[in-house]
Amino acid sequence: MTRIETVRLRAVLDSRGNKTVEADVLTESGGFGRAAAPSGASTGEYEAIELPVNEAIAAAREHAVPRLDGRVYAGDQREVDDTLRAADGTEDFSEIGANSAVAISMAAAKAGADVLGAPLYQHLGGAFRGENFPIPLGNVVGGGEHAQEATAIQEFLSAPVGAPSVKDAVFANAQVHGEIGSLLEERGTPAAKGDEGAWAPPVSDAEAFEIVEEAVETVSDDVGFDIKFGLDLAAAEVFEDGEYVFGDEVRSTEEQIEYVAGLVDEYDLAYVEDPLDEDAYEAFAELTERVGDQTLICGDDLFVTNTERLQEGIDVDAANSILIKPNQIGTLSDAFDAIELATRNGYETVVSHRSGETEDATIAHLAVATDAPFIKTGTVQGERTAKLNELIRIADEAL
Ligand SMILES: O=C(O)[C@@H](CO)OP(=O)(O)O
Ligand SMILES: [Mg+2]
């Protein structure tokens, strides 16, 4: 019923104005799915390979499409993804590109859902999925690789941990974003926005902590539930010759651990992503040992949604949560495997967007399907609200 008739690939624009791969999957019974690959700026060294778009499309047309058309069932996600892996023949999708692979993988899932007449989260999660909704972590101030002349820390994330519903949480994050805009204006600090729609003010990290803390407190008082905040330090991007170089602050590994543990205490942080380098399993473990019972220590560049790297982390208690980005590993099946391994080992999962995005809302469905406790997908700006609004629709059963 869900046999694939055709896979079509094209280049479209992403939110940074770069080209990305879009895939259409049509089934013989008339089912249709469309999805586009996102793209990172602060990419981990161990991510699957994103090829230049035209190359990725040409290679996927040559190697993958003939193996899918007329032969594979879109409703059988494992078969689709195994076929993509076999067509590619490498560990890291360097032949057809993880950008082509993930676009096809997600488009096939949507086509499968379309034929079955089920929403995507239902198709992916099945009848026995949980009924929880993820708490959205919303980037409200940022810099690093996502904006110039802004904070050294890549992301300050609003975390509405006490929100009674996903809708309240989404609106609260937008309100925190708005409140920060007002605070910056009061201070006379001109602020552009970064790639993900977060404010990108020319302030020190210390000043950003003050502003974000004030904003989450103000909005928390107004909405009447607890809003904390968290960070993505994207530390691998600033790790040079054994030192962490955050703007003018240069720290050794021990000093970085001390600094981050201090921040967790001082600001009661709900979430800390990539506080240390992408190879620093032991340093991660040291930090997790110190503050892992107070906050989430999340591996993004550390784990790159890869079960082998996650298992290494589990073995040494490197963290207590993992960021899940399907394009880091190339297929939805691989992302599911990482989620399953994480969950079995008591790691929290955070399904995430990339800094370069499209209107594609697959990650909202993936988070609900897998009962992920968190989703990271910005606060404002169309390509971010595409996911947030989809979450609201899923909660409202209005798809
Ligand atoms: O580091 C991250 O977590 C992401 C998303 O916020 O950024 P990028 O997509 O640039 O890797
Ligand atoms: Mg990150």
Side-chain angles (χ1 to χ4, degrees):
M1 203 162 75
T2 63
R3 190 154 61 183
I4 293 172
E5 185 175 79
T6 330
V7 177
R8 286 200 206 115
L9 299 167
R10 67 180 68 81
V12 296
L13 286 176
D14 77 8
S15 53
R16 275 193 279 255
N18 296 328
K19 285 190 211 162
T20 190
V21 180
E22 180 171 85
D24 288 356
V25 170
L26 286 107
T27 71
E28 289 177 354
S29 56
F32 175 73
R34 171 174 290 162
S39 174
S42 71
T43 45
E45 189 183 336
Y46 303 103
E47 293 193 21
I49 304 298
E50 177 186 315
L51 290 178
V53 169
N54 293 343
E55 253 177 67
I57 290 176
R61 277 187 187 141
E62 184 183 343
H63 301 294
V65 174
R67 290 179 183 237
L68 291 163
D69 285 0
R71 297 168 72 169
V72 169
Y73 290 80
D76 185 346
Q77 194 65 39
R78 290 269 172 206
E79 196 194 357
V80 170
D81 293 340
D82 287 349
T83 304
L84 290 169
R85 285 231 166 259
D88 178 83
T90 70
E91 283 285 300
D92 56 6
F93 277 114
S94 47
E95 186 63 38
I96 65 169
N99 36 352
S100 278
V102 82
I104 296 171
S105 179
M106 298 192 303
K110 291 185 186 178
D114 188 32
V115 175
L116 299 170
L120 180 59
Y121 72 90
Q122 192 82 59
H123 170 46
L124 294 176
F128 298 110
R129 87 189 155 78
E131 291 199 338
N132 302 317
F133 278 87
I135 295 170
L137 301 172
N139 189 358
V140 285
V141 170
E145 294 292 307
H146 295 167
Q148 299 203 329
E149 309 290 328
T151 55
I153 290 179
Q154 184 178 285
E155 298 166 29
F156 290 75
L157 300 144
S158 172
V161 290
S165 73
V166 73
K167 191 186 277 192
D168 289 304
V170 167
F171 293 163
N173 280 349
Q175 206 178 324
V176 171
H177 186 274
E179 181 64 24
I180 290 171
S182 308
L183 291 174
L184 289 168
E185 208 177 307
E186 273 168 32
R187 287 171 179 239
T189 307
K193 287 184 190 163
D195 286 348
E196 298 181 356
W199 297 109
V203 299
S204 66
D205 288 350
E207 207 177 328
F209 274 102
E210 257 177 51
I211 295 167
V212 175
E213 186 180 40
E214 186 179 341
V216 295
E217 279 174 10
T218 303
V219 176
S220 185
D221 286 348
D222 185 54
V223 296
F225 55 78
D226 196 15
I227 307 175
K228 296 188 180 189
F229 70 102
L231 306 172
D232 179 1
L233 289 110
E237 299 295 324
V238 298
F239 190 61
E240 289 162 23
D241 303 325
E243 289 181 319
Y244 293 91
V245 186
F246 282 90
D248 297 335
E249 311 272 336
V250 181
R251 301 184 201 98
S252 68
T253 297
E254 279 311 314
E255 286 166 345
Q256 178 71 1
I257 292 171
E258 202 57 46
Y259 167 69
V260 175
L263 294 174
V264 172
D265 281 336
E266 187 175 350
Y267 296 101
D268 191 21
L269 297 178
Y271 177 78
V272 180
E273 180 183 326
D274 281 353
L276 293 146
D277 183 49
E278 60 203 327
D279 287 310
Y281 282 100
E282 282 172 24
F284 256 91
E286 213 180 301
L287 180 65
T288 302
E289 165 79 25
R290 281 188 54 174
V291 294
D293 55 349
Q294 290 162 254
T295 191
L296 290 179
I297 301 294
C298 183
D300 170 15
D301 292 351
L302 179 72
F303 296 139
V304 291
T305 318
N306 179 315
T307 50
E308 279 173 31
R309 291 189 62 85
L310 174 59
Q311 187 61 58
E312 270 183 65
I314 289 167
D315 290 345
V316 299
D317 289 329
N320 56 19
S321 88
I322 178 176
L323 210 70
I324 300 291
K325 294 169 167 169
N327 83 318
Q328 273 183 331
I329 191 70
T331 72
L332 278 179
S333 297
D334 289 299
F336 261 77
D337 289 345
I339 291 171
E340 207 194 316
L341 180 63
T343 308
R344 255 194 286 127
N345 287 278
Y347 273 49
E348 307 269 8
T349 56
V350 184
V351 176
S352 172
H353 66 168
R354 301 304 309 246
S355 49
E357 269 293 343
T358 68
E359 315 84 273
D360 192 287
T362 305
I363 58 166
H365 290 264
L366 178 61
V368 176
T370 59
D371 226 359
F374 298 94
I375 186 169
K376 184 173 101 153
T377 179
T379 50
V380 296
Q381 215 162 262
E383 74 283 1
R384 316 292 150 185
T385 54
K387 285 83 167 157
L388 297 167
N389 289 340
E390 188 77 342
L391 270 181
I392 292 173
R393 287 181 208 109
I394 295 172
D396 206 25
E397 293 180 1
L399 292 170

